[in-house]
């Protein structure tokens, strides 16, 4: 089944987007914006766990990544490694390190070039470049099990090119029919639909969610508190931050109903699992159990969300004008309610077992992120005189397409694309985001893969381990 739960998860503050900006490998999606690409969602596995396994397949356990920095002399290329990992039963402690080599190479090159032709720089001069703290980042992560159904995750990061430390706390409690999550961060990193990063001095959230099911009714309830004004990580942001990450206390509840129907499906048989050769019978499972059956499926989700602000400067936001730099006030509604929905068509050819040409898959989502904004947009088309220059960015549906093609054996090439569907008079289809990725499926994990992805929009890329995820 296609991943439709992003439609409801995007309304809350705990949706993780894969990002190399932090050592934990993720940033929070800004809620109330167009649904992110499925390929952009962060792995469910913790970054320490990923590095522990990925390190076995890389020289010296060093994992490369691409991440832009506000300080251009540091470059985008960085190297990560798990420096220490110790565990006792279910408790573990991990130390992650990161190194950016560009500035060091440039500094050493300049040191040797500017010196006298016959005189080598002193050890002290060379060591000074290696000891530059802006080159390094370090993070300490710990998982503490409290009971068989509850645990605590603590983390602290220090980046040499940034001020202060990044501290996070997460408590998870599994109930018979619900999951309870408490998260807090000082500060928290958010990313919006335009690929811009915002840093919130303090972010605290409590979330209660019904257990995930293949289809049927799901619901969530959350309380979130932001303290401090969001600051852009990079210079040059011309738009104001979303009101959903401004200071205040917000309560939100959401529900959704999900349904899926197969147009046709070729079930797995014993002949698929066991092949007969001259040397005998051999077991040949699919490279990924979630991609083992060719099919065509139509699925849909519809839901609603309502929320209320309980505090925050009388719901008046002080934002900075783009034109003259003077402060302006923007009214924020204390109550909100809306509907959302998504329809998906999935087509898969092949069983992902043979060495070549055994997997071609397309997932096409049509998303309506805000029913009220969409209806207003339709009304403005029918009545052109009422159309205003400033249009709600949620008023247009989004088309998200995921294409996967087997390259050879367990290697799959994937492209995720998101387009804004507008009227022909306003530009038609407009590409908003796309991500390229190359994955290597691991049969031993049944549905696990090593994914190397790159986002041209964010100019970022990293290598992740993803388990039971599309």
């Amino acid at each position: 089944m296609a991943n439709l739960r992003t439609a409801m998860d995007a309304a809350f503050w705990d949706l993780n987007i894969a990002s190399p900006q932090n050592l934990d490998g993720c940033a929070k999606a800004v809620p109330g914006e167009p649904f992110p690409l499925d390929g952009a969602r962060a792995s469910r596995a913790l970054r320490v766990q990923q590095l522990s396994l990925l390190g076995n397949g890389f020289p010296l356990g060093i994992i490369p990544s691409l991440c832009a920095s506000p300080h251009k002399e540091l470059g985008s290329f960085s190297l990560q490694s798990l420096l220490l990992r110790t565990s006792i039963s279910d408790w573990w402690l991990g130390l992650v390190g990161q190194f950016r080599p560009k500035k060091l190479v440039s500094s050493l090159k300049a040191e040797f070039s500017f010196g006298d032709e016959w005189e080598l720089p002193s050890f002290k001069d060379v060591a000074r470049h290696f000891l530059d703290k802006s080159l390094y980042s370090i993070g300490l992560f710990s998982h503490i099990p409290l009971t068989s159904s509850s645990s605590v995750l603590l983390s602290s990061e220090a980046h040499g090119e940034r001020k202060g430390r990044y501290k996070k706390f997460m408590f998870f409690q599994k109930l018979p029919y619900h999951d309870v999550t408490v998260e807090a961060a000082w500060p928290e990193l958010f990313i919006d639909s335009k690929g811009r990063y915002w840093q919130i001095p303090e972010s605290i959230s409590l979330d209660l969610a019904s257990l995930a099911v293949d289809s049927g009714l799901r619901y969530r309830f959350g309380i979130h508190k932001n303290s401090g004004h969001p600051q852009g990580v990079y210079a040059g942001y011309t738009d104001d931050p979303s009101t959903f990450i401004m200071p205040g206390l917000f309560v939100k509840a959401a529900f959704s109903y999900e349904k899926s129907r197969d147009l046709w499906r070729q079930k797995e048989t014993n002949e698929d699992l066991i092949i007969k050769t001259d040397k005998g019978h051999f077991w040949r499972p699919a490279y990924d159990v979630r991609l083992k059956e060719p099919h065509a499926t139509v699925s849909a989700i519809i839901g609603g969300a309502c929320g209320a602000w309980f505090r925050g400067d009388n719901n008046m936001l002080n934002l900075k004008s783009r034109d003259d730099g003077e402060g302006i006030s923007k009214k924020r509604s204390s109550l909100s309610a809306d509907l959302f929905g998504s329809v998906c068509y999935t087509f898969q050819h092949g069983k992902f077992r043979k060495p070549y040409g055994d997997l071609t898959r397309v997932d096409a989502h049509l998303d309506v992120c805000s029913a009220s904004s969409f209806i207003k947009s339709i009304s403005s088309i029918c009545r052109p005189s009422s159309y205003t220059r400033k249009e709600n960015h949620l008023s247009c549906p989004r088309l998200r397409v995921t294409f996967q093609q087997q390259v050879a054996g367990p290697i799959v090439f994937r492209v995720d694309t998101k387009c804004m569907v507008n009227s022909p008079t306003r530009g038609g289809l407009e590409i908003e985001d796309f991500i390229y990725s190359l994955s290597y499926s691991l049969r031993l994990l049944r549905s696990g893969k090593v994914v190397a992805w790159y986002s041209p929009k964010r100019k970022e890329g990293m290598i992740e381990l993803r388990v039971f995820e599309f």
Side-chain angles (χ1 to χ4, degrees), residues 181-230:
T181 307
V182 178
E183 292 187 69
W186 305 271
E188 182 64 274
L189 189 68
F190 282 85
I191 180 172
D192 62 20
S193 59
K194 297 181 180 180
R196 303 174 303 177
Y197 286 98
W198 302 93
Q199 187 170 283
I200 313 298
E202 181 184 66
S203 175
I204 302 174
S205 63
L206 167 66
D207 186 78
L208 173 69
S210 61
L211 294 182
V213 292
D214 290 338
S215 63
L217 181 67
R218 294 179 65 236
Y219 52 90
R220 289 185 63 174
F221 173 79
I223 302 175
H224 185 83
K225 178 180 179 292
N226 283 331
S227 298
H229 197 281

Side-chain angles (χ1 to χ4, degrees), residues 23 41 47 82 89 135 191 208 212 300 311 320 329 376 410 422 467:
L23 295 182
R41 296 194 64 164
R47 189 59 178 168
L82 182 61
S89 186
L135 303 175
I191 180 172
L208 173 69
R311 53 173 287 190
K320 189 177 181 181
S329 294
K376 290 179 182 178
N422 214 331
V467 182

Side-chain angles (χ1 to χ4, degrees), residues 160-424:
E161 78 280 11
R162 308 178 196 172
K163 295 181 180 180
R165 300 182 67 88
Y166 289 70
K167 294 169 285 187
K168 289 187 179 181
F169 164 86
M170 188 178 95
F171 169 77
F172 176 78
Q173 174 69 55
K174 186 176 182 180
L175 301 176
Y177 302 103
H178 300 85
D179 289 334
V180 178
T181 307
V182 178
E183 292 187 69
W186 305 271
E188 182 64 274
L189 189 68
F190 282 85
I191 180 172
D192 62 20
S193 59
K194 297 181 180 180
R196 303 174 303 177
Y197 286 98
W198 302 93
Q199 187 170 283
I200 313 298
E202 181 184 66
S203 175
I204 302 174
S205 63
L206 167 66
D207 186 78
L208 173 69
S210 61
L211 294 182
V213 292
D214 290 338
S215 63
L217 181 67
R218 294 179 65 236
Y219 52 90
R220 289 185 63 174
F221 173 79
I223 302 175
H224 185 83
K225 178 180 179 292
N226 283 331
S227 298
H229 197 281
Q231 300 293 328
V233 174
Y234 297 96
Y237 294 168
T238 57
D239 294 336
D240 296 321
S242 168
T243 57
F244 286 98
I245 57 174
M246 299 301 289
L249 181 69
F250 195 74
V251 178
K252 177 172 279 193
F255 72 93
S256 66
Y257 186 82
E258 186 176 343
K259 191 66 177 178
S260 177
R261 181 178 296 275
D262 289 336
L263 302 180
W264 61 268
R265 180 179 292 269
Q266 185 177 344
K267 294 289 187 178
E268 184 181 50
T269 63
N270 291 331
E271 288 76 13
D272 295 327
L273 287 170
I274 301 174
I275 59 173
K276 184 178 180 181
T277 66
D278 296 337
K279 297 182 179 181
H281 293 78
F282 294 91
W283 184 50
R284 188 187 64 177
Y287 292 109
D288 190 321
V289 296
R290 288 192 154 193
L291 299 172
K292 65 182 180 180
E293 296 178 347
H295 65 279
T297 302
V298 175
S299 50
I301 185 173
I302 186 172
C306 59
W309 286 96
F310 282 96
R311 53 173 287 190
D313 299 332
N314 298 322
N315 294 330
M316 292 297 294
L317 302 180
N318 294 320
L319 302 177
K320 189 177 181 181
S321 172
R322 291 181 296 175
D323 301 325
D324 53 14
E326 295 181 358
I328 59 174
S329 294
K330 182 178 179 181
K331 182 69 176 177
R332 176 174 59 191
S333 176
S334 59
L335 297 174
S336 63
D338 212 339
L339 298 176
F340 58 84
S342 180
V343 179
C344 177
Y345 173 75
T346 300
F347 173 81
Q348 178 178 321
H349 168 75
K351 304 177 181 179
F352 202 29
R353 301 174 188 274
K354 300 178 182 178
Y356 302 100
D358 200 27
L359 176 66
T360 300
R361 178 177 171 125
V362 177
D363 293 88
H365 296 254
L366 182 62
D367 305 326
V368 176
C369 308
S370 170
S372 61
S373 299
F374 177 65
I375 293 174
K376 290 179 182 178
S377 176
I378 297 298
S379 301
S380 69
I381 295 176
C382 298
R383 294 178 297 173
S385 60
S386 65
Y387 175 74
T388 57
R389 184 176 59 89
K390 187 176 181 180
E391 186 179 2
N392 191 328
H393 67 292
L394 295 177
S395 60
C396 298
R398 261 65 177 183
L399 177 64
R400 291 180 293 140
V401 179
T402 300
F403 173 77
Q404 299 181 74
Q405 176 63 52
Q406 181 186 23
V407 178
I411 301 175
V412 175
F413 174 72
R414 170 171 171 162
V415 179
D416 290 81
T417 307
K418 179 171 67 174
C419 303
M420 181 172 66
V421 183
N422 214 331
S423 63

